[in-house]
Amino acid sequence: MAAAVVGQQWVLVEMVQAFYEAPAYHLILEGILILWIIRLLFSKTYKLQERSDLTLKEKEELIEEWQPEPLVPPVPKDHPALNYNIVSGPPTHIITVNGKECINFASFNFLGLLNNEKVKSAAQASLKKYGVGTCGPRGFYGTFDVHLELEERLAKFMRTEEAIIYSYGFATIASAIPAYSKRGDIVFVDEAACFAIQKGLQASRSNIKLFKHNDMADLERLLKEQETEDQKNPRKARVTRRFIVVEGLYMNTGDICPLPELIKLKYKYKVRIFLEESLSFGVLGAHGRGITEHFGINIDDIDLISANMENSLASIGGFCCGRSFIIDHQRLSGQGYCFSASLPPLLAAAAIEALNIMEDNPDIFQTLRAKCERIHKALQGISGLKVVGESFSPALHLQLKESCGSRENDVKLLKRVVDYCMNSGIALTQARYLEKEEKCLPPPSIRVVVTVEQTEQELDKAASLLKEAAQSVLN
Amino acid sequence: MANPSAVCNGHLHHHNHQKQNNLLKSGISKKNGITKGMKKNGVSNGTLYKKTFIEHFEQAPMYVAVFTFVGFAVGTIFGYLRDFMRAWGLEKRNIAAEREQQKDFVPLYQDFENFYTRNLYLRIRDNWNRPICSVPGPQFDLMERVTDDYNWTFRFTGRTIKNVINMGSYNYLGFAETDVNALKTVTIELEKYGTGVCSTRQEMGTLDKHVELEKLVAKFLGVEDAMVFGMGFATNSMNIPALVGKGCLILSDELNHTSLVLGARLSGATIRIFKHNNMQSLEKLLRDAIIYGQPRTHRAWRKIIILVEGIYSMEGSIVRLPEIVSLKNKYKAYLYLDEAHSIGAVGATGRGVVEYFGMSPNDVDVLMGTFTKSFGAAGGYIAGKKDLVDFLRTHSHSAVYATSMCPPVAEQIIRAMKCLMGLDGTTQGLQRVRQLEKNTRYFRRKLHEMGFIIYGNDDSPVVPLLLYMPGKIGAFARRMLEKNIGVVVVGFPATPITESRARFCVSAAHTREMLDTVLNALDELGDFLHLKYSRYSKSAHPELYEESRLELED
């Protein structure tokens, strides 16, 4: 130990001696080297910074290099949507699809008003007086007396304070939702909700909570969760609006929504209800007022009802109705209302006449219901296909009992069933979806649409034909 | 336009030069107009423009802005005062109230959100939504309405105000008409098809009428294919999301229509805004986007799409298409052009801004337009390469989920388009386009001469006349109605807060007498309301002005 210490000391002494003995140039050189190292140490960071800036030439190279994707990917020539049916002439009870005459089980012409002479002559009279287009949005001389009349008539028909019309069915609920629900608000929505609702929710940028289709327990669970959340932050809760968005009859499933339970939840958790009734308006209830009449619910309990005029009324456009306190807000905030040209007057006149017919013949709804029930019953027990939807729904779905593996193959299989029926004079169509865009994509299905114009024989024929087709295609 | 060699037409060039000097001498500051053009912004536009491109955005004197703010301040102060009085029960509350049973719900509207509507908009609410009861042609009949409670509610008197000159409807070519002969085919189709379709394009809603219309639209525009949709607004909002998505960049003009904004938002793509019709701003965004890629991840953008309109409906400006096309080619971006107001309204044969600039429709990737305006119908189209249209047929939200176009409406478009193309065997369509051009030039020139500040391009049938102060909006529209002229007035939030304006839409159906009536009324009212803010003195070179007029109208 001691020897080692002595040895070290000796080395140190020698070093100091060597320092004194070294020539001056050597020392200077070493000094410069040390300074250089220090300089390098400190200058390093600056160099890195400089290097990250792109020179103009590099930028040009980057721009030159960039290759965008094509604007649209190529579409395979055999894509089902590219080879759609072409209807010659009016899509009424008897329809000519791709040159073949069929009985129409595909168009949402529930009340058969599409070809109604009275409706047509009302539209003709309007055409004579107003021409076709309105050449302006509602605010800028696009409000016609017929629009005001139609709004009044719809409000009266639905027994609400006010109604507002849109010029496109899809834009109705898609504009109504973002008019009220904003960023930070919460919307509870059924996962089977149609695409228009989905787009409305997306435009609103609200907080979206999906509950299982028609599952009130699941909805209540979400509401309770929100309640606990609210207790944590009552200040935020005081300004967070809440909505439940449901459909009367679901477009994608043909189911009815359990409205009485929803009303209970509404008052229990203080949530407003928006109801989409495109399929149930002019169908359900003794006077066709929709699901509220069907359940005998006070219409004022629903905050907003929206429906399109493209199904039962066989016109174009849509409407919202409810109390003035709510509806009037859309006149300045409904985007599809304010920023779009208004509904062509002849279409408004047609809708008014269609309402007249509905009011004059309330038994038409009973007839429709009987026909729906008839075909619903007749379609039971088809091998390989199951009926989805309420027995009184005018649009029901036939789904495969067992999928054959991939969606693509299922669609092809169903197409063969549809083609089989089409060849024998029954026009049907598959329900089409944008597969990548849908939040919860429904399984592929054939949609069967019932109208009052179909006779009992035709309904039976359609059912037996479907049975036959399923037998030959699926087995 | 600043480069003389580029101007093919000799006398046009001559006129242009004089006009520039003229304007420069008078020392007008321009936001976006001539001064920019001379600077050759971004790309050298001297060789790009085949004709003169003049846009005016004259700024008002300083005191006007000051008084405008004072006007808003006074309105706001009184608004607060009256809100206070309403809260204390000193003034009657007319606002529709929440249901008793739902009083304890979270309020549907925040009180301050509606402050502007309740206290400022309400004062002049009678100037909007005026109901009409006739065809929206060059003249229309208005339903007279009065208010007993200061615009909270309106009551119809049952009388009609007959033959009001219509300066508000987008009836550029006068196809909003009730002439029995013109509507003959529409009547026949209505009888045949009825009004509805009751299905979507992909299910059972593609009628032979739609196929016919689509072929005609493609032929009219000179492109491979086209697809039509039932609503103009939805054409944008339901198709842009099909074209772009996450990882894509949308470059959008700051003054784009709500439908484009909504479509862009629904697409999920990143949106960046460039200054209105400003090519430097656009080029900078393009360069930066390609160089730096997506924010945070720095991956390259999948694609970049530029959204612009042909004619901007609130500014009356025409898109700088030649420059945009050269930028888009240089940076490999795509161009989506919304011709809602321009299709039919500009171009030698009414084929929109593409024709106006003498360009090929293939220069634009997505040609979109509406049938609501020039064609007097409803709906919209998207046209372009077959690949694009095929893709939309399969992926457009509208094709899958929305009811297709009403057949008689489709027939109205067909007949108007055939008329424009001369397929009806007459030159009537071409005459309408010429007449619109003449009317536009005449109307704009006269307003300039009177000393009003008007915005936009000399060739744009959309003519905004600046009113600035909020108090003048109501006064202007009411007094014009007293003179039997229906005008459109717009204020905040549709325009910047200091730039309230009246907007005229010139139509081919307006006769010279009608325009003169309007101009005389404007002249009178302009003095009365002190609206002639322009510092551009017409007396400087009156003789040149006359000369140019003759040249342009021959």
Side-chain angles (χ1 to χ4, degrees), chain A residues 54 59-60 62-64 66-73 75 79 81-82 84-91 95 97 106-109 114 117 120 123-124 127-141 143-145 148 167-168 170 180 195 199 202-203 205 237-243 266-267 270-272 300-301 303 310-311 314 316 323 325-326 329 332 335-336 339-341 344 346-347 350 428-434 437-438 447, chain B residues 96-99 102 104-110 113 117 121 128-136 140 142-143 156 168-171 176-178 183 186-187 190-198 201-204 206-208 211 230-231 233-234 238 243 257-258 262 265-266 287 290-292 300-305 331-332 334 365-366 372-373 376-378 387-388 390-391 393-395 397-398 400-404 406 409 412 486-488 490 503:
Chain A
L54 295 167
K59 283 182 179 173
E60 293 301 335
L62 279 170
I63 289 168
E64 197 55 44
W66 182 65
Q67 278 304 331
E69 284 179 14
L71 179 61
V72 289
V75 181
H79 194 288
L82 270 189
Y84 36 59
N85 302 315
I86 293 177
V87 178
S88 346
I95 185 172
V97 190
S107 305
F108 295 112
N109 180 19
L114 202 147
E117 284 308 320
K120 276 187 194 171
Q124 289 285 15
L127 175 67
K128 227 174 244 155
K129 185 173 176 201
Y130 302 101
V132 181
T134 58
C135 287
R138 287 290 293 263
F140 303 155
Y141 304 106
T143 302
F144 286 57
D145 46 359
L148 300 176
S167 54
Y168 205 44
F170 189 95
Y180 304 98
F195 198 70
K199 287 292 126 181
Q202 199 188 337
R205 298 189 270 190
R238 269 206 297 275
V239 292
T240 309
R241 287 167 281 230
R242 293 124 230 264
F243 305 91
K266 165 183 168 164
Y267 287 107
K270 307 200 190 317
V271 197
R272 295 170 197 275
D300 281 346
D301 279 335
D303 292 86
E310 293 161 357
N311 300 341
I316 302 280
R323 277 167 295 118
F325 173 68
I326 292 177
H329 183 64
L332 285 174
Q335 287 200 325
F339 298 104
S340 159
L346 72 98
L347 295 172
L428 286 166
T429 172
Q430 288 191 60
R432 302 247 187 232
Y433 306 100
L434 286 173
E437 311 271 336
E438 285 275 355
R447 197 190 276 122
Chain B
E98 177 77 281
R99 247 174 120 207
Q102 289 181 222
D104 52 347
F105 279 44
V106 175
L108 193 56
Y109 318 113
Q110 295 297 326
E113 277 173 35
T117 319
Y121 168 68
W128 288 274
N129 302 302
R130 287 176 180 161
I132 73 173
C133 49
S134 72
V135 61
F140 53 39
L142 278 176
M143 293 166 79
F156 291 104
S169 297
Y170 308 130
N171 179 23
E177 54 193 352
T178 47
L183 289 179
V186 183
T187 315
L190 177 58
E191 203 50 49
K192 181 178 170 196
Y193 287 90
T195 50
V197 183
C198 295
R201 287 297 298 270
Q202 286 205 6
E203 290 176 1
M204 202 54 83
T206 304
L207 305 187
D208 43 2
V211 179
M231 182 198 200
F233 184 95
M238 294 170 85
L243 295 174
H257 188 253
T258 320
L262 179 66
R265 246 191 229 163
L266 291 177
R287 284 185 73 92
I290 299 171
I291 294 166
Y292 299 110
W301 292 104
R302 282 171 50 209
K303 54 194 168 196
I304 299 176
I305 192 161
Y331 293 101
K332 289 172 258 178
Y334 301 107
D365 300 282
V366 188
T372 320
K373 283 121 194 165
D387 283 351
L388 168 82
D390 275 352
F391 181 81
R393 287 189 200 285
T394 53
H395 290 84
H397 297 180
S398 182
V400 186
Y401 296 103
T403 304
S404 30
C406 158
V409 171
Q412 157 78 3
V487 295
V488 164
V490 236
R503 186 188 61 186

Side-chain angles (χ1 to χ4, degrees), chain A residues 156-169:
Chain A
K156 214 178 109 207
F157 181 82
M158 293 297 283
R159 301 195 172 164
T160 53
E161 282 177 17
E162 196 169 336
I164 180 171
I165 54 172
Y166 283 78
S167 54
Y168 205 44

Side-chain angles (χ1 to χ4, degrees), chain B residues 31 57 59 65 68-69 72 116 254-255 276 314-315 455 464 466-470 473 490-501:
Chain B
K31 257 205 300 195
F57 289 95
Q59 271 178 349
T68 305
F69 278 114
F72 273 101
Y116 183 82
E254 62 179 341
L255 295 180
H276 175 55
M314 285 296 163
E315 306 303 299
Y455 274 5
L466 273 288
L467 304 172
Y468 297 103
M469 295 169 205
I473 301 176
V490 236
F492 182 79
T495 66
I497 196 150
T498 56
E499 292 182 15
S500 305
R501 62 195 67 171

